[in-house]
Amino acid sequence: RRQRQMCIRDSIASVAPHQIIVTSDTEISKVSIWTTDGMLIKQTQPDDYTCTIEGLDSGMAIVKTETTSGCTIKKIMIK
């Protein structure tokens, strides 16, 4: 029997300097941001469908979005 995998639609964007905006079609339970070296920069628990995180240093980062349907991990360039 094959297990069905949920497709989580989310978006992570850095539109303004030192900021990222995370949106999802399911409720976000946690957003974690790491350096590419694996050091945790910031973590938040928004309990909403969108989350804005400010005060970030410019550069590459790894963003893990946990929702009620699962999680996604993406690499992003923070402006």
Side-chain angles (χ1 to χ4, degrees):
R1 215 180 223 191
R2 280 191 163 171
Q3 231 180 359
R4 219 181 233 187
Q5 288 186 337
M6 294 284 295
C7 180
I8 302 169
R9 292 193 176 119
D10 66 358
S11 170
I12 302 169
S14 180
V15 180
H18 310 288
Q19 175 191 79
I20 63 167
I21 300 170
V22 181
T23 57
S24 178
D25 61 351
T26 57
E27 189 174 355
I28 301 168
S29 54
K30 187 189 290 185
V31 177
S32 305
I33 304 166
W34 288 280
T35 64
T36 53
D37 296 340
M39 195 162 93
L40 183 64
I41 301 170
K42 216 168 222 186
Q43 195 169 58
T44 185
Q45 296 175 313
D47 292 326
D48 202 354
Y49 294 85
T50 187
C51 175
T52 301
I53 302 169
E54 299 176 326
L56 301 168
D57 289 338
S58 298
M60 293 301 293
I62 308 297
V63 180
K64 180 179 181 183
T65 306
E66 295 178 50
T67 70
T68 53
S69 298
C71 71
T72 58
I73 300 172
K74 294 184 180 177
K75 194 175 194 180
I76 185 171
M77 175 60 83
I78 301 171
K79 289 186 179 188

